[in-house]
Amino acid sequence: MAPHATPLAASTKAKDYVIATMGSHSALQILKGARDEGMRNLVICKKGSERPYKAYDVADEYLFVDDWKQWDAKIESELIKRNAIIIPHGSFVSYLGHKRVQEMKPMYYGTKEILEWESDRTMEREWLLKAKLLLPRVFKKPEDIDGPVIVKFHGAGGGFGYFVATSPKQFYEVKNRKYPDDNDFVIQEYIVGSPVYVHYFYSPITGELEIMGMDKRYESNADSIGRIRAEDQLAANIFTSYTIVGNFPIVVRESLLPEMFEMGDRVVAESRKLKAGKGLFGPFCLEMIITRKLQMFVFEISARIVAGTNPFIEGSPYTALKYDVPMSTGRRIAREIKQAIEMGRLSEILG
Ligand code: ATP
């Protein structure tokens, strides 16, 4: 494709832009969503990982890298030439890191600065506390453990390597045996309840906060331990781990929705007070455990599309209420971008 004549972000025609994303995580629905909204798309693949995009024929164009470390000025200039708008997702942020993302030159959907707030556990906690969300307790040192805790290593993407302990002794047993040299972790109160990941979308264009859907994760081996007898679990000396394998759709009891909307509102409002560019907008997710008393403990925020939206490529029960077409989060992003382009407001949603 020839370099585009239109200066970056100046055209008000959606066909002058390309929706681009990295081939992983939630790329299938992002690419399909762009097409459904009548926009062109592009996927950047690590060589050898392009098969799903080809098999499902969702992409108009491919760019390839040998390795994500090879994400460099050359790739960026290819994207700039095409007037591409990058859609970040979980793999994108975790492979490149928020510092690399900050320096990126092509158009980028979302607020880059917010990624630092979600990836630093201390900053994230400060933000969520200010938004008056209920959070699990954090233990400063292993000696303080006085009940069930979940130990989370930093940068342990997708729950890999997390473990549960109930006493300082048990903590050190696992830590010293499995992670003797890794001291970058947080010890969080383990909340007994149902995990629910609520997918939100906040649009600065319409000024509206939407709940797009909800999921729970399918995790190994947390979701398989219950398949064997308690005696066998003990005999096999299994430690619970949370490596993510997939996602299930969820619908919550309707009476929980008002509070969920308000929690989303407060997180968006507080994000504007952080020193984080335009604050939080677009897709985000509050990851919570709901207890038997229906208290909602939020243990994490993801400030971008989450893979838990993937079961809803054809829309969710919630988006079915609002839209007359199947509305995935990927498609909602494309619609937002298209509307912003046509209204001459694209710069408001670029980071
Ligand atoms: P990602 O960054 O990809 O969202 P992660 O590695 O941060 O994932 P989490 O989603 O934070 O992983 O958690 C993994 C698992 O641990 C989930 O099943 C979640 O429900 C559970 N979990 C996390 N924190 C708590 C907690 N405080 N109490 C009980 N369960 C928890």
Side-chain angles (χ1 to χ4, degrees):
M1 197 191 256
H4 208 282
T6 315
L8 221 56
S11 165
T12 53
K13 292 193 192 96
K15 69 170 179 48
D16 287 339
Y17 297 81
V18 172
I19 300 274
T21 199
M22 180 188 262
S24 182
H25 193 266
S26 45
L28 286 168
Q29 60 159 308
I30 293 173
L31 297 167
K32 178 175 180 341
R35 280 215 184 139
D36 288 344
E37 289 298 309
M39 293 187 70
R40 280 186 62 78
N41 70 26
L42 174 156
V43 61
I44 308 139
C45 288
K46 193 166 138 179
K47 273 187 201 139
S49 63
E50 65 275 20
R51 177 126 182 220
Y53 312 102
K54 295 212 157 141
Y56 296 113
D57 190 20
V58 286
D60 297 322
E61 204 181 343
Y62 293 78
L63 288 179
F64 288 97
V65 293
D66 289 324
D67 197 274
W68 293 121
K69 289 194 194 82
Q70 201 203 317
W71 181 288
D72 54 11
K74 198 164 142 248
I75 281 276
E76 292 196 8
S77 78
E78 290 295 326
L79 292 169
I80 292 168
K81 260 202 280 189
R82 288 162 174 81
N83 236 11
I85 301 170
I86 298 178
I87 314 299
H89 53 51
S91 304
F92 181 83
V93 177
S94 100
Y95 294 159
L96 299 180
H98 69 87
K99 290 209 176 79
R100 183 74 197 78
V101 174
Q102 291 275 358
E103 294 156 5
M104 229 163 245
K105 299 280 187 301
M107 285 185 280
Y108 173 95
Y109 172 66
T111 299
K112 289 179 180 172
E113 293 90 334
I114 211 82
L115 297 178
E116 194 184 352
W117 283 86
E118 65 140 44
S119 61
D120 180 308
R121 288 197 207 277
T122 313
M123 290 167 80
E124 178 187 49
R125 197 169 169 87
E126 183 190 328
W127 172 17
L128 299 181
L129 281 173
K130 280 188 180 152
K132 305 217 165 7
L133 301 185
L134 200 54
L135 308 186
R137 265 194 308 155
V138 165
F139 294 82
K140 285 209 174 74
K141 47 185 196 310
E143 287 68 24
D144 296 342
I145 298 175
D146 57 1
V149 296
I150 180 162
V151 182
K152 303 178 171 189
F153 288 92
H154 196 77
F160 182 77
Y162 288 9
F163 69 89
V164 172
T166 50
S167 64
K169 184 168 168 276
Q170 201 190 3
F171 167 88
Y172 283 114
E173 246 170 53
V174 183
K175 162 83 176 66
N176 294 342
R177 185 164 61 84
K178 294 176 82 175
Y179 312 99
D181 303 320
D182 196 345
N183 290 314
D184 190 9
F185 56 80
V186 66
I187 306 173
Q188 227 177 54
E189 173 188 10
Y190 184 90
I191 309 290
V192 178
S194 309
V196 179
Y197 292 64
V198 185
H199 319 144
Y200 294 89
F201 189 95
Y202 172 67
S203 164
I205 301 298
T206 64
E208 198 185 333
L209 177 81
E210 299 168 44
I211 290 182
M212 304 294 293
M214 296 166 203
D215 76 293
K216 71 169 262 191
R217 294 173 165 199
Y218 193 32
E219 290 159 329
S220 201
N221 56 19
D223 288 315
S224 56
I225 286 177
R227 295 164 62 102
I228 53 175
R229 293 189 311 158
E231 290 91 331
D232 295 337
Q233 293 171 26
L234 291 172
N237 197 18
I238 300 167
F239 286 98
T240 319
S241 60
Y242 296 89
T243 305
I244 180 136
V245 178
N247 306 82
F248 298 109
I250 288 191
V251 171
V252 286
R253 50 194 285 179
E254 210 158 298
S255 56
L256 294 177
L257 285 174
E259 193 175 338
M260 286 178 169
F261 273 108
E262 282 161 25
M263 289 163 75
D265 284 340
R266 295 203 298 273
V267 167
V268 171
E270 276 309 315
S271 76
R272 303 223 182 98
K273 301 181 197 157
L274 308 172
K275 288 193 181 68
K278 296 168 187 145
L280 178 68
F281 62 84
F284 67 97
C285 177
L286 290 181
E287 311 183 354
M288 61 186 78
I289 309 278
I290 307 182
T291 66
R292 67 191 169 87
K293 293 186 179 159
L294 298 181
Q295 287 182 301
M296 302 184 207
F297 283 88
V298 175
F299 59 88
E300 186 159 296
I301 182 166
S302 293
R304 34 88 193 156
I305 185 170
V306 288
T309 59
N310 285 338
F312 304 118
I313 292 189
E314 278 293 292
S316 76
Y318 298 104
T319 60
L321 295 166
K322 187 171 168 66
Y323 295 96
D324 52 11
V325 292
M327 185 58 70
S328 67
T329 295
R331 182 168 186 178
R332 183 65 189 84
I333 294 171
R335 183 167 282 197
E336 179 84 346
I337 290 175
K338 189 173 152 189
Q339 285 177 343
I341 291 171
E342 289 169 352
M343 294 163 90
R345 295 176 62 184
L346 181 59
S347 61
E348 289 176 40
I349 56 166
L350 298 181

Coordinates of all heavy atoms in Angstrom, one line a residue, residues 67-141:
D67 N 10.3 -11.8 16.3 CA 10.2 -11.8 17.7 C 9.6 -10.5 18.1 O 9.8 -9.5 17.5 CB 11.6 -12.0 18.3 CG 11.5 -12.4 19.7 OD1 11.4 -11.5 20.6 OD2 11.5 -13.6 20.0
W68 N 8.9 -10.4 19.3 CA 8.3 -9.1 19.7 C 9.4 -8.1 20.0 O 9.2 -6.9 20.0 CB 7.3 -9.3 20.8 CG 6.1 -10.1 20.4 CD1 5.6 -11.2 20.9 CD2 5.2 -9.7 19.3 NE1 4.5 -11.6 20.1 CE2 4.3 -10.7 19.2 CE3 5.2 -8.6 18.4 CZ2 3.3 -10.7 18.2 CZ3 4.2 -8.6 17.4 CH2 3.3 -9.6 17.4
K69 N 10.6 -8.6 20.4 CA 11.7 -7.7 20.6 C 12.1 -6.9 19.4 O 12.7 -5.9 19.4 CB 12.9 -8.5 21.1 CG 12.8 -9.0 22.5 CD 14.1 -9.5 23.0 CE 14.0 -10.4 24.3 NZ 13.7 -11.8 23.9
Q70 N 11.6 -7.4 18.2 CA 11.9 -6.8 17.0 C 10.9 -5.7 16.6 O 11.0 -5.1 15.6 CB 11.9 -7.9 15.9 CG 12.7 -7.6 14.6 CD 12.1 -8.4 13.5 OE1 11.8 -9.6 13.6 NE2 11.9 -7.8 12.3
W71 N 10.1 -5.4 17.6 CA 9.1 -4.3 17.4 C 10.0 -3.0 17.4 O 10.5 -2.6 18.4 CB 8.1 -4.2 18.5 CG 7.1 -3.1 18.3 CD1 7.3 -1.8 18.5 CD2 5.7 -3.3 17.9 NE1 6.2 -1.1 18.2 CE2 5.2 -2.0 17.8 CE3 4.9 -4.3 17.6 CZ2 3.9 -1.7 17.5 CZ3 3.6 -4.1 17.2 CH2 3.1 -2.8 17.2
D72 N 10.2 -2.4 16.2 CA 11.1 -1.3 16.2 C 10.6 -0.2 15.3 O 9.4 -0.2 14.9 CB 12.5 -1.8 15.6 CG 12.3 -2.5 14.3 OD1 11.1 -2.4 13.7 OD2 13.2 -3.2 13.8
A73 N 11.4 0.8 15.0 CA 11.1 1.9 14.2 C 10.5 1.5 12.8 O 9.7 2.2 12.2 CB 12.2 2.9 14.0
K74 N 11.1 0.4 12.3 CA 10.6 0.0 11.0 C 9.2 -0.4 11.0 O 8.4 0.0 10.1 CB 11.5 -1.2 10.5 CG 11.5 -1.5 9.1 CD 12.6 -2.4 8.6 CE 12.1 -3.3 7.6 NZ 12.1 -4.7 8.0
I75 N 8.8 -1.2 11.9 CA 7.4 -1.6 12.1 C 6.5 -0.4 12.3 O 5.5 -0.2 11.7 CB 7.2 -2.6 13.3 CG1 7.6 -4.0 12.9 CG2 5.8 -2.6 13.8 CD1 6.6 -4.8 12.2
E76 N 7.0 0.5 13.1 CA 6.2 1.7 13.4 C 6.0 2.5 12.2 O 5.0 3.1 11.9 CB 6.9 2.5 14.5 CG 6.8 1.7 15.8 CD 7.1 2.5 17.1 OE1 7.2 3.8 17.0 OE2 7.2 1.9 18.2
S77 N 7.1 2.6 11.3 CA 6.9 3.5 10.1 C 6.0 2.8 9.1 O 5.2 3.5 8.4 CB 8.3 3.8 9.5 OG 8.8 2.8 8.8
E78 N 6.0 1.5 9.1 CA 5.0 0.8 8.3 C 3.5 1.1 8.7 O 2.6 1.3 7.9 CB 5.2 -0.8 8.4 CG 6.4 -1.3 7.7 CD 6.4 -1.1 6.2 OE1 5.3 -1.2 5.6 OE2 7.5 -0.9 5.6
L79 N 3.4 1.2 10.0 CA 2.0 1.5 10.6 C 1.7 2.9 10.3 O 0.5 3.2 9.9 CB 2.0 1.2 12.1 CG 2.1 -0.3 12.5 CD1 2.3 -0.5 14.0 CD2 0.9 -1.1 12.0
I80 N 2.6 3.8 10.5 CA 2.3 5.2 10.2 C 2.0 5.4 8.7 O 1.0 6.2 8.4 CB 3.6 6.1 10.6 CG1 3.7 6.0 12.2 CG2 3.4 7.5 10.2 CD1 5.0 6.6 12.7
K81 N 2.7 4.8 7.9 CA 2.4 4.9 6.4 C 1.0 4.6 6.1 O 0.4 5.1 5.2 CB 3.3 3.9 5.7 CG 4.6 4.5 5.0 CD 5.0 3.6 3.9 CE 5.8 2.4 4.4 NZ 6.5 1.6 3.4
R82 N 0.5 3.6 6.8 CA -0.9 3.1 6.5 C -2.0 3.9 7.3 O -3.1 3.5 7.2 CB -1.0 1.6 6.9 CG -0.2 0.7 5.9 CD 0.0 -0.6 6.5 NE 0.6 -1.6 5.6 CZ 1.9 -1.6 5.3 NH1 2.7 -0.7 5.9 NH2 2.4 -2.5 4.5
N83 N -1.6 4.9 8.1 CA -2.5 5.6 8.9 C -3.2 4.6 9.9 O -4.4 4.6 10.1 CB -3.6 6.3 8.1 CG -3.7 7.8 8.4 OD1 -2.8 8.3 9.1 ND2 -4.7 8.4 7.9
A84 N -2.4 3.7 10.4 CA -3.0 2.7 11.3 C -3.2 3.2 12.7 O -2.4 4.0 13.2 CB -2.0 1.5 11.4
I85 N -4.2 2.7 13.4 CA -4.5 3.0 14.8 C -4.3 1.7 15.5 O -5.0 0.7 15.3 CB -5.9 3.5 14.9 CG1 -6.1 4.8 14.1 CG2 -6.2 3.8 16.4 CD1 -7.6 5.3 14.0
I86 N -3.4 1.7 16.4 CA -3.1 0.5 17.2 C -4.1 0.3 18.3 O -4.4 1.2 19.1 CB -1.7 0.5 17.9 CG1 -0.6 0.6 16.8 CG2 -1.4 -0.7 18.7 CD1 0.8 0.8 17.3
I87 N -4.6 -0.9 18.4 CA -5.5 -1.3 19.5 C -4.7 -2.1 20.5 O -4.3 -3.3 20.1 CB -6.8 -2.1 19.1 CG1 -7.4 -1.4 17.8 CG2 -7.7 -2.3 20.2 CD1 -7.9 0.0 18.0
P88 N -4.4 -1.6 21.7 CA -3.7 -2.5 22.6 C -4.5 -3.5 23.3 O -5.8 -3.3 23.4 CB -3.3 -1.4 23.7 CG -4.3 -0.4 23.7 CD -4.9 -0.3 22.3
H89 N -3.9 -4.6 23.6 CA -4.6 -5.7 24.4 C -3.7 -6.3 25.4 O -2.5 -5.8 25.5 CB -5.3 -6.7 23.5 CG -4.4 -7.4 22.5 ND1 -3.2 -7.9 22.8 CD2 -4.5 -7.5 21.1 CE1 -2.6 -8.4 21.7 NE2 -3.4 -8.2 20.7
G90 N -4.1 -7.3 26.1 CA -3.2 -7.8 27.2 C -1.8 -8.3 26.7 O -0.8 -8.0 27.4
S91 N -1.8 -9.0 25.6 CA -0.5 -9.5 25.2 C 0.4 -8.4 24.7 O 1.6 -8.4 24.9 CB -0.7 -10.5 24.0 OG -1.5 -11.5 24.4
F92 N -0.2 -7.4 24.0 CA 0.5 -6.3 23.5 C 1.2 -5.6 24.7 O 2.4 -5.3 24.6 CB -0.5 -5.3 22.9 CG 0.1 -4.1 22.3 CD1 0.6 -4.1 21.0 CD2 0.1 -2.9 23.0 CE1 1.2 -3.0 20.4 CE2 0.6 -1.7 22.4 CZ 1.2 -1.8 21.1
V93 N 0.5 -5.3 25.7 CA 1.1 -4.6 26.9 C 2.1 -5.5 27.6 O 3.2 -5.0 27.9 CB 0.0 -4.2 27.9 CG1 0.6 -3.5 29.1 CG2 -1.0 -3.2 27.2
S94 N 1.8 -6.8 27.7 CA 2.8 -7.6 28.4 C 4.0 -7.9 27.6 O 5.1 -8.0 28.1 CB 2.1 -8.8 29.0 OG 2.3 -10.0 28.3
Y95 N 3.9 -8.1 26.3 CA 5.1 -8.4 25.5 C 6.0 -7.1 25.3 O 7.2 -7.2 25.3 CB 4.7 -8.8 24.1 CG 4.1 -10.2 24.0 CD1 3.3 -10.6 22.9 CD2 4.2 -11.1 25.1 CE1 2.7 -11.8 22.9 CE2 3.5 -12.3 25.0 CZ 2.8 -12.7 23.9 OH 2.2 -13.9 23.9
L96 N 5.4 -6.0 25.2 CA 6.2 -4.8 24.9 C 6.5 -4.0 26.2 O 7.5 -3.3 26.2 CB 5.5 -3.9 23.9 CG 5.2 -4.5 22.5 CD1 4.5 -3.5 21.6 CD2 6.5 -5.0 21.9
G97 N 5.7 -4.0 27.2 CA 5.9 -3.3 28.4 C 5.4 -1.9 28.3 O 5.4 -1.3 27.2
H98 N 5.0 -1.3 29.4 CA 4.4 0.1 29.2 C 5.3 1.1 28.8 O 5.0 2.1 28.2 CB 3.6 0.4 30.5 CG 4.4 0.7 31.7 ND1 4.9 2.0 31.9 CD2 4.8 -0.1 32.7 CE1 5.6 1.9 33.1 NE2 5.5 0.7 33.5
K99 N 6.6 1.0 29.1 CA 7.6 2.0 28.8 C 7.8 2.1 27.2 O 7.8 3.1 26.6 CB 9.0 1.7 29.4 CG 8.9 1.9 30.9 CD 10.3 2.3 31.4 CE 10.2 2.6 32.9 NZ 10.2 1.4 33.8
R100 N 7.9 0.9 26.6 CA 8.0 0.8 25.2 C 6.7 1.4 24.5 O 6.8 2.1 23.5 CB 8.2 -0.7 24.8 CG 8.4 -1.0 23.3 CD 9.8 -0.5 22.9 NE 9.9 -0.5 21.5 CZ 9.5 0.5 20.7 NH1 8.9 1.5 21.3 NH2 9.6 0.5 19.4
V101 N 5.6 1.1 25.1 CA 4.3 1.6 24.6 C 4.3 3.1 24.6 O 3.9 3.8 23.7 CB 3.1 1.0 25.3 CG1 1.8 1.6 24.8 CG2 3.1 -0.6 25.1
Q102 N 4.8 3.7 25.7 CA 4.8 5.1 25.9 C 5.5 5.8 24.7 O 5.1 6.9 24.2 CB 5.6 5.5 27.1 CG 4.9 5.2 28.4 CD 3.9 6.2 28.9 OE1 3.8 7.2 28.2 NE2 3.2 6.0 29.9
E103 N 6.6 5.2 24.3 CA 7.5 5.8 23.2 C 7.0 5.6 21.8 O 7.5 6.2 20.9 CB 8.9 5.2 23.3 CG 9.6 5.5 24.6 CD 10.7 4.5 24.9 OE1 11.0 3.6 24.1 OE2 11.3 4.6 26.0
M104 N 5.9 4.8 21.7 CA 5.4 4.4 20.3 C 4.9 5.6 19.5 O 4.3 6.5 20.1 CB 4.3 3.5 20.6 CG 4.4 2.3 19.8 SD 3.3 1.1 20.5 CE 4.4 -0.1 21.0
K105 N 5.3 5.6 18.3 CA 4.9 6.8 17.4 C 3.6 6.7 16.7 O 2.9 7.7 16.4 CB 6.0 7.1 16.4 CG 7.4 7.4 17.0 CD 7.4 8.9 17.4 CE 8.8 9.3 17.9 NZ 9.3 8.5 19.0
P106 N 3.2 5.5 16.2 CA 1.9 5.4 15.5 C 0.7 5.8 16.4 O 0.8 5.8 17.6 CB 1.8 3.9 15.1 CG 3.1 3.4 15.3 CD 3.8 4.2 16.4
M107 N -0.4 6.0 15.7 CA -1.6 6.4 16.5 C -2.0 5.2 17.4 O -1.9 4.0 17.0 CB -2.8 6.7 15.5 CG -2.6 8.0 14.8 SD -4.1 8.4 13.8 CE -3.7 7.5 12.4
Y108 N -2.4 5.5 18.5 CA -2.7 4.5 19.6 C -4.0 4.8 20.2 O -4.2 5.9 20.7 CB -1.5 4.6 20.6 CG -1.7 3.7 21.8 CD1 -1.1 2.5 21.9 CD2 -2.3 4.2 22.9 CE1 -1.2 1.7 23.0 CE2 -2.5 3.4 24.1 CZ -1.9 2.2 24.1 OH -2.0 1.4 25.2
Y109 N -4.9 3.8 20.3 CA -6.2 4.0 20.9 C -6.1 3.8 22.4 O -5.7 2.7 22.9 CB -7.2 3.0 20.3 CG -8.5 3.0 21.0 CD1 -9.4 4.1 20.9 CD2 -8.9 1.9 21.8 CE1 -10.6 4.1 21.6 CE2 -10.2 1.9 22.4 CZ -11.0 3.0 22.3 OH -12.2 3.0 23.0
G110 N -6.5 4.8 23.2 CA -6.4 4.7 24.6 C -5.4 5.7 25.2 O -4.7 6.4 24.5
T111 N -5.3 5.6 26.6 CA -4.4 6.5 27.3 C -3.2 5.7 27.7 O -3.3 4.7 28.5 CB -5.1 7.0 28.6 OG1 -6.2 7.8 28.2 CG2 -4.2 7.9 29.4
K112 N -2.0 6.0 27.1 CA -0.8 5.2 27.4 C -0.4 5.3 28.9 O 0.0 4.3 29.5 CB 0.3 5.7 26.6 CG 0.2 5.4 25.1 CD 1.4 6.0 24.3 CE 1.3 5.7 22.9 NZ 2.3 6.4 22.1
E113 N -0.6 6.5 29.4 CA -0.1 6.7 30.8 C -0.9 5.8 31.8 O -0.3 5.5 32.9 CB -0.3 8.2 31.3 CG 0.6 9.2 30.5 CD -0.1 9.7 29.3 OE1 -1.0 9.0 28.7 OE2 0.3 10.8 28.9
I114 N -2.1 5.4 31.5 CA -2.9 4.6 32.4 C -2.3 3.2 32.6 O -2.5 2.6 33.6 CB -4.4 4.5 32.0 CG1 -5.3 4.5 33.1 CG2 -4.6 3.4 31.0 CD1 -5.6 5.7 33.8
L115 N -1.5 2.8 31.6 CA -0.9 1.4 31.7 C 0.1 1.3 32.9 O 0.2 0.3 33.5 CB -0.2 1.1 30.4 CG -1.1 1.0 29.2 CD1 -0.2 0.7 27.9 CD2 -2.2 0.0 29.3
E116 N 0.7 2.4 33.2 CA 1.6 2.4 34.3 C 0.8 2.2 35.6 O 1.2 1.5 36.5 CB 2.5 3.7 34.4 CG 3.6 3.5 35.3 CD 4.4 4.8 35.5 OE1 4.1 5.8 34.8 OE2 5.3 4.8 36.4
W117 N -0.3 2.9 35.7 CA -1.2 2.8 36.9 C -1.7 1.4 37.1 O -1.9 0.9 38.2 CB -2.3 3.8 36.8 CG -1.8 5.2 37.2 CD1 -1.3 6.1 36.3 CD2 -1.8 5.8 38.4 NE1 -0.9 7.2 37.0 CE2 -1.2 7.0 38.3 CE3 -2.2 5.4 39.7 CZ2 -1.0 7.9 39.3 CZ3 -2.0 6.2 40.8 CH2 -1.4 7.5 40.6
E118 N -2.0 0.7 36.0 CA -2.6 -0.7 36.1 C -1.5 -1.7 36.3 O -1.7 -2.8 36.9 CB -3.5 -1.1 35.0 CG -2.7 -1.2 33.7 CD -3.2 -2.4 32.8 OE1 -4.4 -2.7 32.6 OE2 -2.3 -3.0 32.2
S119 N -0.2 -1.4 35.9 CA 0.8 -2.5 36.0 C 1.6 -2.4 37.3 O 2.3 -3.3 37.6 CB 1.7 -2.4 34.8 OG 2.3 -1.2 34.7
D120 N 1.5 -1.2 38.0 CA 2.2 -1.1 39.2 C 1.2 -1.3 40.3 O 0.2 -0.6 40.5 CB 2.8 0.3 39.3 CG 3.5 0.6 40.6 OD1 3.0 0.3 41.7 OD2 4.7 1.0 40.5
R121 N 1.4 -2.4 41.1 CA 0.4 -2.8 42.1 C 0.1 -1.7 43.1 O -1.0 -1.6 43.6 CB 0.8 -4.1 42.8 CG 0.6 -5.3 41.9 CD 0.7 -6.6 42.7 NE 1.2 -7.7 41.9 CZ 0.4 -8.4 41.1 NH1 -0.8 -8.1 40.9 NH2 1.0 -9.4 40.4
T122 N 1.1 -0.9 43.5 CA 0.9 0.1 44.5 C 0.1 1.2 43.9 O -0.8 1.7 44.6 CB 2.3 0.6 45.0 OG1 3.1 -0.5 45.2 CG2 2.2 1.5 46.2
M123 N 0.4 1.6 42.7 CA -0.3 2.7 42.1 C -1.8 2.3 41.8 O -2.7 3.0 42.0 CB 0.4 3.1 40.8 CG 1.7 3.8 41.0 SD 2.6 3.9 39.4 CE 1.9 5.3 38.6
E124 N -1.9 1.0 41.4 CA -3.2 0.5 41.1 C -4.1 0.5 42.3 O -5.3 1.0 42.3 CB -3.1 -1.0 40.6 CG -4.4 -1.7 40.3 CD -4.2 -3.1 40.0 OE1 -3.5 -3.8 40.7 OE2 -4.7 -3.6 39.0
R125 N -3.5 0.1 43.4 CA -4.3 0.1 44.7 C -4.7 1.5 45.1 O -5.8 1.7 45.6 CB -3.4 -0.6 45.8 CG -4.1 -1.1 46.9 CD -3.3 -2.0 47.9 NE -4.0 -2.2 49.1 CZ -4.9 -3.1 49.3 NH1 -5.2 -4.0 48.4 NH2 -5.5 -3.2 50.4
E126 N -3.8 2.4 45.0 CA -4.1 3.8 45.3 C -5.3 4.3 44.5 O -6.2 4.9 45.1 CB -2.8 4.7 45.0 CG -3.0 6.1 45.4 CD -1.8 6.9 44.9 OE1 -0.7 6.4 44.7 OE2 -2.0 8.1 44.5
W127 N -5.3 4.0 43.2 CA -6.4 4.4 42.3 C -7.7 3.8 42.8 O -8.7 4.5 42.9 CB -6.0 4.1 40.9 CG -7.0 4.2 39.8 CD1 -8.2 5.0 39.9 CD2 -6.9 3.7 38.5 NE1 -8.8 4.9 38.7 CE2 -8.1 4.1 37.8 CE3 -6.0 2.8 37.9 CZ2 -8.3 3.7 36.5 CZ3 -6.3 2.4 36.6 CH2 -7.4 2.9 35.9
L128 N -7.7 2.5 43.0 CA -8.9 1.8 43.3 C -9.5 2.2 44.7 O -10.7 2.2 44.9 CB -8.7 0.3 43.2 CG -8.3 -0.2 41.8 CD1 -8.1 -1.8 41.8 CD2 -9.3 0.2 40.7
L129 N -8.5 2.4 45.6 CA -9.0 2.9 47.0 C -9.6 4.3 46.9 O -10.7 4.5 47.5 CB -7.8 2.9 47.9 CG -7.4 1.6 48.5 CD1 -6.1 1.7 49.3 CD2 -8.5 1.0 49.4
K130 N -9.0 5.1 46.0 CA -9.6 6.5 45.9 C -11.0 6.4 45.2 O -11.9 7.2 45.5 CB -8.7 7.3 45.0 CG -7.5 7.9 45.7 CD -6.8 8.9 44.8 CE -5.6 9.5 45.5 NZ -4.6 9.9 44.6
A131 N -11.2 5.3 44.4 CA -12.5 5.1 43.8 C -13.5 4.4 44.7 O -14.6 4.0 44.3 CB -12.3 4.3 42.5
K132 N -13.1 4.3 46.0 CA -13.9 3.7 47.0 C -14.4 2.3 46.7 O -15.6 1.9 46.9 CB -15.1 4.6 47.3 CG -14.7 6.0 47.7 CD -15.6 6.6 48.8 CE -15.0 7.9 49.5 NZ -13.9 8.5 48.9
L133 N -13.5 1.5 46.1 CA -13.8 0.1 45.9 C -13.3 -0.7 47.1 O -12.4 -0.3 47.8 CB -13.1 -0.4 44.6 CG -13.5 0.3 43.3 CD1 -12.8 -0.4 42.2 CD2 -15.0 0.4 43.1
L134 N -13.9 -1.8 47.3 CA -13.6 -2.7 48.4 C -12.4 -3.6 47.9 O -12.5 -4.2 46.8 CB -14.8 -3.6 48.7 CG -14.9 -4.3 50.0 CD1 -14.7 -3.4 51.2 CD2 -16.3 -5.0 50.1
L135 N -11.3 -3.6 48.6 CA -10.1 -4.4 48.1 C -9.7 -5.4 49.1 O -9.9 -5.2 50.3 CB -8.9 -3.4 47.9 CG -9.1 -2.2 47.0 CD1 -7.8 -1.5 46.8 CD2 -9.7 -2.5 45.7
P136 N -9.1 -6.5 48.7 CA -8.6 -7.5 49.6 C -7.4 -6.9 50.4 O -6.7 -6.0 49.9 CB -8.0 -8.6 48.8 CG -8.5 -8.4 47.4 CD -8.8 -6.9 47.3
R137 N -7.3 -7.3 51.7 CA -6.2 -6.8 52.5 C -4.8 -7.2 51.9 O -4.7 -8.2 51.2 CB -6.2 -7.5 53.9 CG -6.9 -6.6 54.9 CD -6.7 -7.2 56.3 NE -6.9 -8.6 56.5 CZ -6.3 -9.3 57.5 NH1 -5.4 -8.8 58.3 NH2 -6.6 -10.6 57.6
V138 N -3.8 -6.4 52.1 CA -2.5 -6.8 51.6 C -1.6 -6.9 52.9 O -1.6 -6.1 53.8 CB -1.9 -5.7 50.7 CG1 -0.4 -5.8 50.5 CG2 -2.6 -5.7 49.4
F139 N -0.8 -8.0 52.9 CA 0.1 -8.3 54.1 C 1.5 -7.8 53.7 O 2.0 -8.2 52.7 CB 0.1 -9.8 54.4 CG -1.2 -10.3 54.8 CD1 -2.2 -10.6 53.9 CD2 -1.5 -10.4 56.2 CE1 -3.5 -11.1 54.3 CE2 -2.7 -10.9 56.6 CZ -3.7 -11.2 55.7
K140 N 2.0 -7.0 54.6 CA 3.4 -6.4 54.3 C 4.4 -7.5 54.3 O 5.4 -7.4 53.5 CB 3.7 -5.3 55.4 CG 2.9 -4.0 55.1 CD 3.7 -2.8 55.6 CE 3.0 -1.5 55.2 NZ 1.8 -1.3 56.1
K141 N 4.4 -8.4 55.3 CA 5.4 -9.5 55.3 C 4.8 -10.8 55.6 O 3.7 -10.9 56.2 CB 6.5 -9.1 56.3 CG 6.0 -8.7 57.7 CD 7.2 -8.2 58.5 CE 6.9 -8.1 60.0 NZ 5.7 -7.4 60.4

